[in-house]
Amino acid sequence: MFYHLTILMIIYSITCIGLNIVVGYTGFFSFARAAFFGIGAYTSALLVMSGVPFLIAIIAGGILAAIFGWILGLITVEMTGDYFALATFAFAEMTRQVFINWTGLTRGPLGLPGIPRPEIFGFRFSTNQAYLFLYIILLILVLLITEMYVKSPFGRLLKTIREDETAAQSLGKDIAKTKNIAIAMGAFFGGVGGALYAHYITYIDPSAFVLHITIFFLIIVIAGGMGNNYGTILGAVMLVLVRELPRYLGLSPAFAASLQQMVYSSILVILMLVRPRGLLGERKLLSEQSSEEGGK
Amino acid sequence: MLEANGIEKNFGGLKAVDNVSIKVKEGTIMGLIGPNGAGKTTFFNLITGFLSTDSGEIKFKGKDITNLEPHLISRLGMVRTFQQTRIFPEMTVLENLIVAPQDNVGEGFFDPIFYRKALKDDQKEKISVAVAILKDMGLYDQKDEYAKNLPYGEQKRLELMRAVMTSPDILLLDEPTAGVSQDYTDNMKSYIKKLKNERGITFFIIEHKMSFLMDLAEYLYVIDHGKLIASGTPKEIQNNTKVINAYLGTEG
Ligand SMILES: Nc1ncnc2c1ncn2[C@@H]1O[C@H](COP(=O)(O)OP(=O)(O)O)[C@@H](O)[C@H]1O
Ligand SMILES: [Mg+2]
């Protein structure tokens, strides 16, 4: 149980660190997370099943998700706020329909069983301990890369879009391009997260990529701390506990489900009242003395 | 340096800007005045690309910039501020400033990977420039404060400093002293003079209050109901009956 829960926390952390780039730093509520998660999961699963090495497959899953993210960005470039949210939701729904209906590739609602476990240079990660080890390393890698980006001038530029797009344009910033990169980057980590999910659970079907999971991811980011990657990890830890613990406590599934909903909503309401920017808010990343921080 | 000819903009049936032509000479401070609702802000939006014109032509440094995207116009060296101040509220004062320069290293996707050293050096330099400006304006002590926590008058000054950080050739200020105290107003005035003298920045300033521009601007344009009704030195404008009537007409 410990290994299982921790592995899920890591998978969701990676996914939501990506989402946080878009929601927390760039300030757009995207409802496409399940789609990127799914694109990464299917891509990587299918590639590994046809003989492609694990590491290449998960990166390919991330890249394909990023390409779709880029296209989504191009389509939504003029949209703000609500329209953007709606468009991303529509995109996620379309993607799910593709998972369901492209049976030749995805086997539709039957799903893909028997997805191989990760194998790197001949070493097969078959125990949960080995999994955890591998996924922790991947999480650290994702965290390091993302932290490097959000602390850089590029990260600061993302924040200006969240703060005031018009002002950023007045300073000469190419908002459309930057927003697009942010969405693609976020989608990349969503795809990688989905790939890791597929190779852990070893079975995926379209029902794993519904709106419900998108909302679950959004709550992780919002609860943990928008614009704070460590907060996102904290959010993933909390939400996995809230979702999975009732199962271990022997509650009936129906009761557990409604309890979950109640806990989710309570978390959101309490946070909105007490800490609107999440448990761990954004950190001040810049100080005059430690100016090298700007480039870390 | 900046030239607009026959600019027009309609909002539905309303002619917000009606055949306005202006010229701003390099190295001067020019003003645009007029009563509330005259179309001043709309005119600024048109020349800076935030609104598209219905007709007319805008030239900047001899280049046709009509309906060019706002960030491209800004990159040519024409930078504006807003009547409704637009700072980055959840960023610190220092961050507000160092995000502004247009030659920042590290804003591209691959920069944090390939230009690590250059990026660090560049940030250091930008921080020292920002710190100098903050000290100059007496805002240094608040450098690590979130911009949203500054009093309104200081937010306006921050917005101006941020625009200065882009190293503009011309600054378009939309009511830089609206809603701020006399102290801030005087401070703003001397800062603008200083920027002009030390950095050679050209200014085109909207003010609703005529007094602010009287001893600052060399030349004034006056618009009312979208139309250019007068232009001249502040002295000439002060004694122009059309202008006096326009102001009295809407003030009452
Ligand atoms: N985006 C817009 N849509 C419709 N009407 C507008 C818009 N912007 C300004 N107006 C109208 O245009 C006129 C000029 O406004 P504005 O340029 O803000 O005047 P000023 O800055 O001189 O006070 C006003 O009547 C205003 O209501
Ligand atoms: Mg105005």
Side-chain angles (χ1 to χ4, degrees):
Chain A
M1 173 184 156
F2 169 77
Y3 288 104
H4 174 63
L5 293 188
T6 314
I7 289 167
L8 284 182
M9 288 167 189
I10 292 174
I11 292 171
Y12 295 152
S13 292
I14 290 174
T15 308
C16 292
I17 283 174
L19 182 60
N20 193 25
I21 296 174
V22 180
V23 175
Y25 288 100
T26 320
F28 278 85
F29 272 83
S30 165
F31 285 84
R33 189 73 348 194
F36 300 132
F37 195 67
I39 290 170
Y42 274 104
T43 305
S44 184
L46 289 167
L47 284 177
V48 172
M49 285 161 100
S50 55
V52 176
F54 169 77
L55 279 181
I56 293 177
I58 57 171
I59 291 171
I63 289 176
L64 193 64
I67 291 171
F68 276 96
W70 184 268
I71 294 168
L72 182 65
L74 288 181
I75 297 170
T76 57
V77 64
E78 296 281 327
M79 303 180 184
T80 52
D82 306 347
Y83 290 101
F84 179 81
L86 260 176
T88 54
F89 171 66
F91 166 74
E93 213 30 48
M94 270 158 49
T95 311
R96 198 171 65 87
Q97 290 303 325
V98 172
F99 295 155
I100 294 174
N101 293 306
W102 193 352
T103 48
L105 190 69
T106 65
R107 296 183 11 113
L110 293 176
L112 289 177
I115 299 168
R117 305 215 136 192
E119 190 180 309
I120 300 175
F121 303 127
F123 179 77
R124 183 168 284 277
F125 292 79
S126 44
T127 65
N128 274 358
Q129 282 89 329
Y131 257 109
L132 182 59
F133 178 72
L134 173 65
Y135 282 22
I136 284 181
I137 290 183
L138 291 176
L139 173 62
I140 292 173
L141 210 66
V142 168
L143 193 60
L144 285 178
I145 294 171
T146 315
E147 281 286 297
M148 174 182 86
Y149 267 100
V150 299
K151 283 180 180 171
S152 76
F154 175 80
R156 207 170 291 127
L157 186 58
L158 292 186
K159 286 202 258 173
T160 65
I161 300 179
R162 173 190 78 197
E163 297 292 299
D164 195 323
E165 255 182 73
T166 304
Q169 275 176 318
S170 80
L171 300 171
K173 309 298 180 190
D174 189 344
I175 294 312
K177 187 176 115 199
T178 310
K179 205 164 37 173
N180 234 328
I181 294 174
I183 296 171
M185 251 180 108
F188 177 83
F189 292 123
V192 170
L196 296 179
Y197 175 83
H199 292 287
Y200 173 62
I201 304 288
T202 69
Y203 169 79
I204 51 172
D205 70 41
S207 74
F209 311 111
V210 291
L211 178 63
H212 186 82
I213 189 88
T214 292
I215 292 182
F216 180 72
F217 290 148
L218 278 170
I219 296 178
I220 288 178
V221 171
I222 296 168
M226 298 219 262
N228 184 329
N229 293 319
Y230 300 99
T232 300
I233 295 173
L234 178 67
V237 170
M238 283 190 328
L239 268 287
V240 167
L241 289 179
V242 168
R243 198 184 70 180
E244 304 289 328
L245 272 188
R247 286 186 206 174
Y248 293 99
L249 296 176
L251 304 176
S252 81
F255 180 69
S258 45
L259 186 70
Q260 258 175 41
Q261 298 298 338
M262 270 171 51
V263 176
Y264 286 177
S265 351
S266 316
I267 291 179
L268 281 185
V269 171
I270 293 170
L271 280 172
M272 289 300 163
L273 293 174
V274 188
R275 294 192 69 94
R277 295 209 60 84
L279 279 181
L280 303 184
E282 196 164 287
R283 291 155 298 158
K284 289 182 184 173
L285 292 176
L286 177 83
S287 63
E288 185 191 347
Q289 285 71 28
S290 62
S291 61
E292 54 287 3
E293 255 206 342
K296 250 195 217 154
Chain B
M1 133 182 278
L2 172 65
E3 203 178 328
N5 285 313
I7 305 298
E8 287 190 16
K9 182 70 184 177
N10 298 299
F11 292 123
L14 176 79
K15 279 206 161 169
V17 174
D18 187 0
N19 192 20
V20 173
S21 304
I22 56 103
K23 245 185 209 166
V24 179
K25 265 192 289 186
E26 189 166 355
T28 57
I29 300 179
M30 299 249 199
L32 177 62
I33 63 171
N36 265 326
K40 306 183 294 296
T41 297
T42 305
F43 186 66
F44 262 28
N45 287 339
L46 293 168
I47 37 185
T48 52
F50 283 89
L51 278 176
S52 56
T53 55
D54 291 339
S55 65
E57 188 197 41
I58 305 153
K59 274 187 168 171
F60 179 54
K61 294 181 184 167
K63 241 178 124 167
D64 183 3
I65 58 159
T66 321
N67 298 340
L68 203 63
E69 280 183 83
H71 74 274
L72 297 177
I73 293 179
S74 171
R75 285 195 167 255
L76 288 175
M78 176 155 67
V79 178
R80 66 168 303 178
T81 63
F82 297 85
Q83 183 174 355
Q84 240 69 46
T85 310
R86 288 176 175 272
I87 48 160
F88 301 129
E90 301 260 353
M91 292 168 73
T92 66
V93 168
L94 190 57
E95 277 185 303
N96 263 269
L97 295 185
I98 64 165
V99 78
Q102 301 182 335
D103 62 347
N104 268 347
V105 177
E107 290 186 354
F109 178 67
F110 293 106
D111 296 359
I113 303 168
F114 295 124
Y115 300 108
R116 291 176 66 85
K117 175 79 169 69
L119 183 156
K120 266 186 203 175
D121 296 345
D122 183 63
Q123 286 288 294
K124 263 195 192 132
E125 189 196 315
K126 298 294 160 55
I127 288 173
S128 65
V129 173
V131 162
I133 291 185
L134 285 170
K135 283 188 172 150
D136 206 23
M137 286 292 277
L139 258 172
Y140 179 72
D141 291 339
Q142 283 104 306
K143 70 181 167 46
D144 294 323
E145 193 59 67
Y146 282 120
K148 63 176 179 188
N149 296 335
L150 296 184
Y152 184 69
E154 309 221 313
Q155 293 188 4
K156 294 220 88 145
R157 291 200 297 169
L158 177 62
E159 194 193 26
L160 174 56
M161 287 183 257
R162 190 182 65 186
V164 170
M165 286 291 292
T166 65
S167 310
D169 298 317
I170 180 169
L171 274 175
L172 273 54
L173 312 181
D174 194 346
E175 303 208 17
T177 68
V180 307
S181 71
Q182 192 57 46
D183 274 359
Y184 281 134
T185 306
D186 295 341
N187 179 294
M188 189 72 87
K189 200 184 272 183
S190 53
Y191 188 48
I192 290 169
K193 278 184 190 155
K194 192 169 158 175
L195 287 172
K196 186 202 149 196
N197 294 333
E198 289 180 4
R199 296 176 183 244
I201 299 176
T202 305
F203 281 89
F204 191 28
I205 305 173
I206 291 182
E207 260 306 330
H208 171 65
K209 290 180 280 188
M210 241 195 279
S211 58
F212 181 73
L213 288 172
M214 278 309 151
D215 58 336
L216 188 62
E218 288 146 54
Y219 198 83
L220 296 176
Y221 288 100
V222 190
I223 60 175
D224 184 27
H225 292 107
K227 281 196 176 69
L228 200 64
I229 58 165
S231 63
T233 63
K235 261 221 172 71
E236 289 164 6
I237 295 299
Q238 231 164 356
N239 302 318
N240 184 312
T241 47
K242 263 199 211 162
V243 177
I244 294 165
N245 287 339
Y247 266 82
L248 290 178
T250 53
E251 227 76 324

